[in-house]
Amino acid sequence: MSTALDSIVNQPYRAGFKTDIESDTVDKGLSEDVVRIISKKKNEPEWMLDFRLKAYRHWLTMKEPEWPNVKYPKIDYQDIIYYAAPKPKATKKSMDEVDPELLKTFDKLGVPLHERAALAGVAVDVVFDSVSVTTTYKEKLAEQGIIFCSFSEAVKDHPDLVKKYLGSVVPHTDNFYAALNSAVFTDGSFCFIPKGVKCPMDLSTYFRINTQDSGQFERTLIVAEEDSQVSYLEGCTAPQFDTNQLHAAVVELVALDRADIKYSTVQNWYAGDENGVGGIFNFVTKRGLCKGEKSKISWTQVETGSAVTWKYPSCILLGDNSIGEFYSVALTNHLQQADTGTKMVHIGKNTRSRIISKGISAGRSNNSYRGLVKVSPKAENARNYSQCDSMLIGQVCGAHTFPYLEVDNKSAIVEHEASTSKIGEEQLFYFASRGIDPEEAVSMIINGFVRDVFMHLPMEFAVEATKLLGLKLEGSVG
Amino acid sequence: MSSENKIILEASGLKAEINGAPILKGLDLCVRAGEIHAIMGKNGSGKSTFSKVVAGHPSYAVTGGKLEFFGEDLNELAPEERSKKGIFLGFQYPIEIPGVTNGAFLRLAFNSIQAARGGDELDPLEFDDFIREKLKLLKMDAGFLDRSLNEGFSGGEKKRNEILQMAILEPKLSILDETDSGLDIDALRIVANGVNSIHGDDDAIVLVTHYQRLLNYIEPDFIHVMEGGKIIKTGTKELALELESKGYDWVVDEYKAKAA
């Protein structure tokens, strides 16, 4: 039976291929000059360069965090390429102008861009390595005053908005990786929903790391003005490489009065092989600011990739009656390590937060939930509910839960529930004795386990995520 | 029961071990269509091991003897294949699976078995009609279907749920491992009625139990006493009453005397 389990969870990575596109890269290494070159290559204004340089200088004074429950070889930050972009062939107006190689890549991943966008009504801002290649539906969104574009375009076309909100949720001093990102980020997405507008479609970005040895530094900024609403989807997958790749993204969300932002991620980056060789290091800072009253930010993530994941999508509940939510499924296999969770910081009155975390550990992997619930002195009647469930597949994987509670207001109600279950011989035997083979049993148990989280994903994404978990855990039994 | 009836399960000289420790040490048993057998015995006599060995639990290794189901050697068959051929094990401790609804599990089990028999698989709506009839049999309400599989079920509910599975899978051989433990008298009656109404001329039932109580409701054709991994005495239902009043030691003594 344990061999059946093994073959189920030890599926090779299926999105492992590399697209041959000429890259325009800057030499390895990081210095003030490299920061200036990046800024210059992107034709950035002076204020943007200043932001980068301030961040770079601060980064030099910082130390890499060592508190996460993960182990990895020391990263040589001088051995990383900080800028790689597909060579521009002039600006593209339609899909026909997009590099056919690139389109093929998306096809292999099962992301038929135009079809998908048209059929599903999803606007896709495609980030290939670090530069946006095409943005669809932009004009349709523009009719409602919605801005959805690459970060570079936003810097060029909407400098006031970017200047106002960039770094307002995750300042460049926040942490080691956020500082690094602020110095060298090459591109990302920018999204602005004006007052009273409900975004008519889910906004979607597909990220893909392509150039070997190139660090990936995305920057995403989403601003939802008063009474607006937006659902944003982020999906990732990467080709198979032997050397580790660093990814240090920053995502900032700002919700003003009564605004509602839903941010969903399905992440499937190369996790290294079954011996832990290669794979992406994913050190991401994601934070949402519920700035206005009755605003709401909801994070939903499905983490299946990366060799090492360090990620805590968080909510600062500043506005009175604001709501923060975090729904997470993190799957680790082989030698993958994940230290992920959230922070809910209650500052305003009557703020509410809800955390549902589901960790699945297989192989020899290690999966940690780390979550902070902080209720500050003025946060009257704050409420939090946290539920952390772990699922173990096999004998040699690990699941850990690190809940932190800091409650400085007596009116707060904070609840925490945790459970651990496993898929082992006894569970599979029970299913088998009812005629259900191990593969179907595992899939049914896993789908049941993640149901509370998947119901919060947009329908189409949920289907994709279910397939992804299946892909990660299916296999021939024999 | 007529000895003309078809043999469903035959074990002879069956030996099995777990982690190198021998548990079954030469067990003989023949179960024919239409029969109900009860295996009784002290704790640790090997009753539950025998149930699991027949169902194909991967922790147990058969090290000798014969184990056949309708004349086919069971040894090479995975547990799900045995189930598809018509072997059912009612668990002493049914496994709890959070998040998987009972209804979805029952349908998957039903359809797996149907597919193996070449029968029609049912979609969720058809299955709903089908299962509601079966629920009545065990006096369970439809709310059962929406709950997570065995999670938070009382002892009685878990056992009823096992018999519900037996009812929908229509096995040829049902081994019910201490199905009576943890049941109050009402639940015992419901479970027993369920088993009796499922049982017919084409299938057989093996009850594994400590107590005679269950046998007031499900009447066995044969009673076997198990000790040291073997069946050391076989009798009719009167034997159960005798065991209830006199305990097991006299049977063991009798067996030892015979052997010596």
Side-chain angles (χ1 to χ4, degrees), chain A residues 381-424:
Chain A
N381 300 316
R383 292 207 57 162
N384 162 265
Y385 174 76
S386 303
Q387 185 188 331
C388 302
D389 298 324
S390 306
M391 167 78 74
L392 303 170
I393 304 178
Q395 305 292 329
V396 286
C397 51
H400 315 269
T401 303
F402 303 99
Y404 302 81
L405 297 177
E406 291 174 22
V407 180
D408 293 321
N409 186 305
K410 281 183 184 165
S411 64
I413 300 175
V414 177
E415 292 171 83
H416 181 93
E417 285 182 32
S419 79
T420 303
S421 48
K422 63 175 181 178
I423 304 181

Side-chain angles (χ1 to χ4, degrees), chain B residues 169-185:
Chain B
L169 300 181
E170 300 181 347
K172 291 292 172 208
L173 174 70
S174 304
I175 304 173
L176 305 180
D177 189 4
E178 308 219 2
T179 296
D180 50 339
S181 66
L183 292 186
D184 60 38
I185 199 72

